[in-house]
Amino acid sequence: MDLYINATFSGAKEIKSNLDNLKLFENVFLINYQQCNKEIYNITKKNKGVNRFAKYLIFKKKLSLIFNSYSPIKIKYDRMVIPYLHYELFSVISTFVNGVYFNNKNVAIDVLEEGVGSYNIVDSKSKIQVAIRKTIGFLYVPSMKFNYYVYKPELIKDHKFKKISLKKLNPVEKNEKVIKTYNKIFGYKEKYSICNEYKFVYLEQDLKTFKISKQNVLEIINVISGKCGQENFIVKMHPRSKENIFNGNIFNQFSVPWELITLNNKLPNNVLISVLSTACLTPKLLFDEEPIVILLYKLFKEDLEFASEQIRLAESVKKTYRQNKFFIPSDVEELKEILSFIDR
């Protein structure tokens, strides 16, 4: 079994080295993202005036060269496990998937949950686009028969894929072997265990993406830290954040996956707070643990109209809670009441 890592994040080389030492896989490869992305960008940029069909043909002609540029060896795989459905043709991961497919068109495909985006199965391609891709031999995963593994299949709303087979993943066990293995892979350190040190954790949103007013966010943060005490409160910055607008305790170790932090921390007594960060849902989805969650999106609703799918999922996860520990306040006064209730 081989593992390919899309090296788009800091620390990818160190993770590969750790995996090599642990010998969990026969081979571990880093995809040369920058080189591949440059090749793909050049193809699409040079052919903007060419119709879509011709652009696909040009791309297919170059595909094997691009694939071989970052795959050290050419292997005929029988099974491929990918982290989510790949709709976009001109992307590095799609290039990789098609490269494997071209080596063996009978390859079995399993799709594995990667975050909450996996719960929104939407076919974004028109019938014409799909037909073109099939005609010239491109793999279009949603049109194939495959298993789709998620932790809570019941949260996936109705979809139109007739060949998909939903499979349930068991919650990850927090046993010593699992924790030690993942900690060795990612180089986890005890100082990253913020949930053990701070009861209240605010998970920041990417303000540019969500178009949230900085001033409004700071006002809400002041209300929260004032009620729970600054010494009990920390802000975990979003990896895409370019600016720190917060005071007090800050966690900005972006190379540490949030899933790894939650794996190493005891969460049931923590309070995870955010506007609409789906990271608040990770403990329930991944470990079936129920920390207290407070989502604030109703306080910013005019700024979050585009986030209907995230809201649907968050409210669906809320319904799966066994205890009354998931709150979505409608205004600041209700937020204060919730914080006072938790403090008791």
Side-chain angles (χ1 to χ4, degrees):
M1 182 183 295
D2 295 338
L3 176 67
Y4 287 79
I5 300 175
N6 189 5
T8 58
F9 57 94
S10 62
K13 290 183 179 179
E14 290 77 9
I15 289 173
K16 179 190 181 310
S17 177
N18 294 338
L19 285 165
D20 287 336
N21 292 334
L22 288 169
K23 301 186 184 305
L24 298 174
F25 299 90
E26 292 181 40
N27 299 290
V28 178
F29 301 122
L30 287 180
I31 296 177
N32 190 333
Y33 172 81
Q34 291 182 336
Q35 181 180 348
C36 293
N37 196 48
K38 184 178 180 180
E39 292 280 354
I40 296 170
Y41 175 76
N42 287 339
I43 291 171
T44 55
K45 182 180 179 182
K46 291 177 182 177
N47 297 283
K48 282 187 176 179
V50 182
N51 64 45
R52 185 176 297 276
F53 185 78
K55 189 184 292 187
Y56 281 176
L57 290 176
I58 294 169
F59 187 75
K60 183 181 179 182
K61 184 177 180 181
K62 298 286 186 180
L63 183 60
S64 60
L65 296 175
I66 298 171
F67 179 66
N68 289 332
S69 71
Y70 64 82
S71 179
I73 50 179
K74 195 169 185 180
I75 302 174
K76 185 176 180 179
Y77 291 108
D78 296 321
R79 184 186 180 203
M80 176 167 46
V81 180
I82 57 179
Y84 47 81
L85 293 177
H86 298 272
Y87 301 110
E88 297 304 321
L89 177 61
F90 300 107
S91 70
V92 173
I93 297 179
S94 182
T95 303
F96 175 81
V97 170
N98 277 282
V100 173
Y101 175 66
F102 287 160
N103 289 340
N104 178 16
K105 293 188 177 179
N106 293 317
V107 62
I109 299 175
D110 290 330
V111 178
L112 190 65
E113 176 180 331
E114 187 195 50
V116 296
S118 301
Y119 290 89
N120 183 26
I121 309 178
V122 178
D123 191 349
S124 62
K125 296 297 180 186
S126 68
K127 292 182 179 180
I128 294 176
Q129 289 174 299
V130 174
I132 291 174
R133 292 176 67 143
K134 289 182 178 179
T135 300
I136 62 177
F138 273 113
L139 171 65
Y140 186 62
V141 175
S143 67
M144 301 180 66
K145 183 177 181 180
F146 61 95
N147 294 320
Y148 196 88
Y149 291 90
V150 291
Y151 290 100
K152 291 193 175 296
E154 66 272 18
L155 297 184
I156 294 180
K157 63 181 181 181
D158 294 337
H159 59 83
K160 299 180 181 179
F161 300 117
K162 297 180 180 179
K163 298 181 180 180
I164 187 174
S165 180
L166 288 175
K167 303 288 185 179
K168 181 177 176 60
L169 290 169
N170 292 324
V172 176
E173 291 186 30
K174 286 189 174 183
N175 59 54
E176 185 177 354
K177 182 179 179 181
V178 169
I179 294 173
K180 281 187 175 181
T181 300
Y182 278 106
N183 286 353
K184 287 179 180 178
I185 293 172
F186 291 95
Y188 189 84
K189 299 177 181 178
E190 188 60 33
K191 67 179 181 179
Y192 301 151
S193 295
I194 55 175
C195 295
N196 289 342
E197 185 174 353
Y198 299 95
K199 180 176 180 179
F200 295 82
V201 180
Y202 179 81
L203 296 162
E204 187 212 11
Q205 305 284 155
D206 178 15
L207 296 182
K208 287 187 178 180
T209 300
F210 279 77
K211 301 178 182 179
I212 301 171
S213 164
K214 295 178 184 179
Q215 186 58 40
N216 288 347
V217 171
L218 289 175
E219 288 176 0
I220 297 299
I221 290 295
N222 289 336
V223 169
I224 297 170
S225 60
K227 293 288 288 186
C228 67
Q230 190 66 49
E231 70 280 3
N232 300 315
F233 179 79
I234 190 169
V235 173
K236 182 189 177 298
M237 299 289 291
H238 191 280
R240 288 195 296 271
S241 293
K242 302 296 183 182
E243 177 186 6
N244 178 15
I245 64 172
F246 305 99
N247 296 315
N249 302 311
I250 304 293
F251 183 83
N252 57 3
Q253 296 290 335
F254 299 142
S255 63
V256 185
W258 170 244
E259 292 81 0
L260 193 61
I261 294 174
T262 55
L263 177 66
N264 279 272
N265 287 248
K266 298 176 181 179
L267 298 171
N269 295 322
N270 283 106
V271 183
L272 305 182
I273 307 171
S274 184
V275 176
L276 189 55
S277 173
T278 51
C280 289
L281 311 181
T282 299
K284 181 62 176 177
L285 295 177
L286 201 57
F287 309 109
D288 197 28
E289 291 186 341
E290 297 187 352
I292 298 171
V293 170
I294 303 176
L295 296 182
L296 309 170
Y297 60 83
K298 288 187 178 180
L299 280 61
F300 304 90
K301 54 187 175 182
E302 66 264 13
D303 298 316
L304 295 174
E305 292 180 0
F306 68 93
S308 59
E309 180 54 33
Q310 292 99 310
I311 291 172
R312 181 199 71 81
L313 183 61
E315 294 180 348
S316 296
V317 171
K318 181 179 186 293
K319 293 176 182 178
T320 69
Y321 259 57
R322 295 179 292 273
Q323 303 179 57
N324 184 28
K325 299 174 68 178
F326 199 119
F327 304 97
I328 307 174
S330 299
D331 52 44
V332 175
E333 289 305 313
E334 186 177 354
L335 170 62
K336 292 179 179 177
E337 292 176 6
I338 292 169
L339 292 171
S340 297
F341 170 77
I342 293 171
D343 195 43
R344 293 199 299 269

